[in-house]
Amino acid sequence: MTYSIPMLSTSSYIKGAVTAFVLFILSDLLWHTVLLGDFYNSRLEAINGAAMTANPIPAMIFEAIAALGSTYFVLALSKSLFDAAKHGAILALMMISAINLVNHTLLLQWDVNLVLVDISWGVVTGLIVGAATYAVAGKRA
């Protein structure tokens, strides 16, 4: 199977990137504070010596890079909502696995459970964001 990457209109790309950015931020806030805040806090406290605190600038930069990259690949490669969800999940798997495996390599307390939970959430988020991005901006120029 070969893919030809179609041209993306600027407005579609912007709509998709904004959608992805907002969803990445909301999903990470929900996951890391409400749903599994205690899970992350206990592990990050062992590493940092204090409860989880986030520096918002690097976090926003990461979310922006993830949104821009996800939007490009999802819109460029997907021909359906299913494709978009699949491509979003695959891209998220690669990004989040890289982050977590480097952390696990360099930080002794970054345990395997944290790696597996964080990668799993990243894939689910990528799937949702990919599908939403395509739903909002899937029409090509």
Side-chain angles (χ1 to χ4, degrees):
M1 174 186 284
T2 60
Y3 282 101
S4 63
I5 298 179
M7 292 298 297
L8 302 174
S9 74
T10 302
S11 64
S12 289
Y13 186 78
I14 290 170
K15 282 192 285 189
V18 168
T19 299
F21 182 69
V22 169
L23 288 175
F24 277 135
I25 288 172
L26 291 176
S27 67
D28 280 347
L29 281 172
L30 176 68
W31 182 252
H32 291 103
T33 58
V34 176
L35 297 176
L36 281 185
D38 291 340
F39 175 82
Y40 284 94
N41 272 331
S42 65
R43 282 154 175 82
L44 294 176
E45 191 168 347
I47 295 168
N48 294 330
M52 180 173 61
T53 58
N55 185 341
I57 301 300
M60 294 298 236
I61 292 169
F62 174 79
E63 301 291 7
I65 291 168
L68 293 170
S70 177
T71 300
Y72 177 80
F73 287 107
V74 164
L75 295 181
L77 298 175
S78 302
K79 294 180 169 55
S80 68
L81 192 62
F82 177 79
D83 275 354
K86 176 181 71 176
H87 291 129
I90 291 168
L91 185 60
L93 174 66
M94 292 186 294
M95 288 189 310
I96 300 302
S97 293
I99 291 167
N100 275 279
L101 293 172
V102 167
N103 286 346
H104 183 62
T105 300
L106 299 176
L107 303 170
L108 297 176
Q109 295 91 351
W110 201 272
D111 65 61
V112 174
N113 290 329
L114 184 54
V115 171
L116 296 174
V117 167
D118 209 52
I119 290 172
S120 298
W121 176 248
V123 171
V124 169
T125 300
L127 184 146
I128 293 166
V129 170
T133 300
Y134 187 84
V136 168
K139 293 190 167 78
R140 298 193 174 106

